[in-house]
Amino acid sequence: TNISVQRDGTSVKATISGTTTNLLEQSLAMTFTEVTEQDATYYLANQRINERDAIRFRIRIQPLDSSQAFDLEFTRQYY
């Protein structure tokens, strides 16, 4: 998983946390690592995927310069 946080086209540092849940309702916490390259900051996390599974992602994004947090939820089907 790769998350980049931007405001007005400029990279913004953030605190990112999240979980993944498979079809059997098995949940795992995601650990994000911050990567900075030149003017870009992004956050990477690995997750285990079994063949032919649908994974639900729930990610909370808290920009460091904001009191507002954002929730991102999506499901990805793996074949």
Side-chain angles (χ1 to χ4, degrees):
T1 304
N2 183 343
I3 304 286
S4 176
V5 182
Q6 295 188 348
R7 181 178 294 118
D8 300 324
T10 302
S11 189
V12 175
K13 292 194 177 228
T15 300
I16 313 263
S17 61
T19 59
T20 58
T21 307
N22 67 11
L23 291 172
L24 298 174
E25 294 299 319
Q26 297 167 322
S27 214
L28 291 173
M30 300 173 73
T31 301
F32 286 88
T33 302
E34 181 180 283
V35 177
T36 302
E37 294 180 350
Q38 297 176 341
D39 295 332
T41 301
Y42 51 95
Y43 301 86
L44 302 176
N46 290 325
Q47 58 277 333
R48 292 183 184 181
I49 307 296
N50 290 327
E51 293 181 26
R52 302 182 60 108
D53 207 351
I55 304 296
R56 184 174 60 238
F57 293 81
R58 290 187 176 137
I59 300 170
R60 176 157 281 236
I61 303 165
Q62 174 74 53
L64 294 183
D65 62 351
S66 174
S67 61
Q68 184 177 7
F70 301 91
D71 292 321
L72 175 63
E73 294 188 26
F74 62 95
T75 300
R76 183 166 181 192
Q77 179 70 47
Y78 293 90
Y79 296 95

